[in-house]
Amino acid sequence: MVIEENLLYSMGASITTYAPAESIFTEGDWPAFYFQIIKGEVKLNNYNEEGKETIQIIIEDGQSIGESLLFMEKFYPINAIAITECQILKLPRKAFLDLLREDAEVSYEMNKCLSQRLYFKLIMTQNLSSQSPMVKLMALMDYLKSFAMDQQQYSFKIPLTRQQMAGLTGLCVETTIRTIKGMERARLLKIEDRKILY
C-alpha cells in the first residue's frame, strides 16, 4: 500500500536512509513508527536456534513494513533488514493511527494491504507443510504471478534470487537450485540469463 508522501509529511513523517544489511528494526523492538519504502528492498526475517534464516516476506518501493504490529501492544517478532540501500519514510505510531481514524480511504487501503499479506501467509503456510520442494516453489511463484496482467506461460519474471526463494519457502539454497533446474527440464519454467520466467 502506498500512502501519499505529502500526506505522510503533513502528519510529521521524516526520511531515513539505510545501507544494505542495516536493521530497520529487530525482534524484540517496540513498534514506534509506520515505515513506508520510498526506494529500496527490505526483507522481514527470523533466525532459528541454529542460525538458519527464514525470510517471511520481501518488501519493495511503495510498500509498508511491519504495519500490522502498530495495532497491537506487542513487540516485533521479526527483523526488518535492508537488502539494498533504502530511503524510508517514518511516521510516529500515534500520528499513523490518527491518520487512519481521520481518513476513511487510507484506512480502507490499509485493510486491503493487511488482507493481502494475510492471504500470502495462508497460501505459504498451506504449501509449506508439503514435503515436495516443487510444490513449495510453485506456490510461491503462483502467488507472485497472480498479480501480473499477463498470465501466459513464461511471461512473468520472478523478482527473487534463488537464496530469497529458499528463505521464503524454508528450503536450502541447493535444494532450491536443483528443484528449479528440474522444473525447467519439465518445462514448468524457463531460465534466460539466470532469470526465471514462469
Side-chain angles (χ1 to χ4, degrees):
M1 147 171 209
V2 180
I3 299 177
E4 188 181 318
E5 288 181 27
N6 288 337
L7 181 55
L8 291 173
Y9 288 126
S10 74
M11 296 296 291
S14 59
I15 295 178
T16 303
T17 301
Y18 296 88
E22 187 175 354
S23 291
I24 297 151
F25 59 76
T26 57
E27 192 172 342
D29 286 350
W30 183 255
F33 294 95
Y34 168 79
F35 297 97
Q36 183 169 296
I37 303 170
I38 297 171
K39 185 174 184 194
E41 224 175 42
V42 172
K43 64 181 174 181
L44 299 184
N45 74 357
N46 295 93
Y47 297 95
N48 69 14
E49 51 281 348
E50 287 120 34
K52 182 184 176 195
E53 178 185 40
T54 299
I55 298 173
Q56 303 297 331
I57 193 167
I58 293 174
I59 308 165
E60 51 196 23
D61 300 5
Q63 295 182 305
S64 50
I65 308 168
E67 66 286 342
S68 62
L69 275 295
L70 295 172
F71 299 95
M72 305 169 67
E73 299 292 319
K74 303 282 184 192
F75 296 101
Y76 285 116
I78 52 176
N79 307 296
I81 300 170
I83 297 173
T84 62
E85 183 175 301
C86 294
Q87 288 187 329
I88 297 178
L89 276 166
K90 290 171 62 172
L91 180 67
R93 178 184 187 178
K94 183 185 179 320
F96 170 72
L97 295 174
D98 289 345
L99 174 60
L100 294 184
R101 286 186 195 98
E102 294 166 11
D103 192 318
E105 184 64 28
V106 171
S107 184
Y108 173 75
E109 290 299 321
M110 181 55 60
N111 281 319
K112 273 178 58 177
C113 174
L114 293 171
S115 297
Q116 183 179 333
R117 299 247 172 102
L118 179 59
Y119 178 74
F120 172 74
K121 280 295 178 198
L122 291 171
I123 292 292
M124 293 311 295
T125 301
Q126 188 177 31
N127 288 291
L128 288 178
S129 62
S130 171
Q131 296 301 308
S132 166
M134 185 166 36
V135 168
K136 293 179 181 187
L137 289 167
M138 283 184 72
L140 175 61
M141 290 188 251
D142 286 341
Y143 173 80
L144 294 170
K145 188 173 179 175
S146 71
F147 297 98
M149 295 295 283
D150 189 348
Q151 290 293 312
Q152 293 181 60
Q153 189 175 28
Y154 312 138
S155 64
F156 180 70
K157 183 163 57 172
I158 300 296
L160 303 171
T161 66
R162 272 64 162 180
Q163 185 167 356
Q164 289 168 338
M165 293 174 76
L168 284 164
T169 56
L171 299 169
C172 69
V173 178
E174 295 78 13
T175 300
T176 300
I177 291 167
R178 196 168 44 251
T179 304
I180 288 170
K181 286 181 180 173
M183 291 171 73
E184 182 183 32
R185 285 191 296 275
R187 294 192 166 89
L188 297 172
L189 54 82
K190 272 168 115 174
I191 299 174
E192 290 182 0
D193 297 326
R194 296 191 39 80
K195 302 293 182 193
I196 298 169
L197 302 177
Y198 187 64

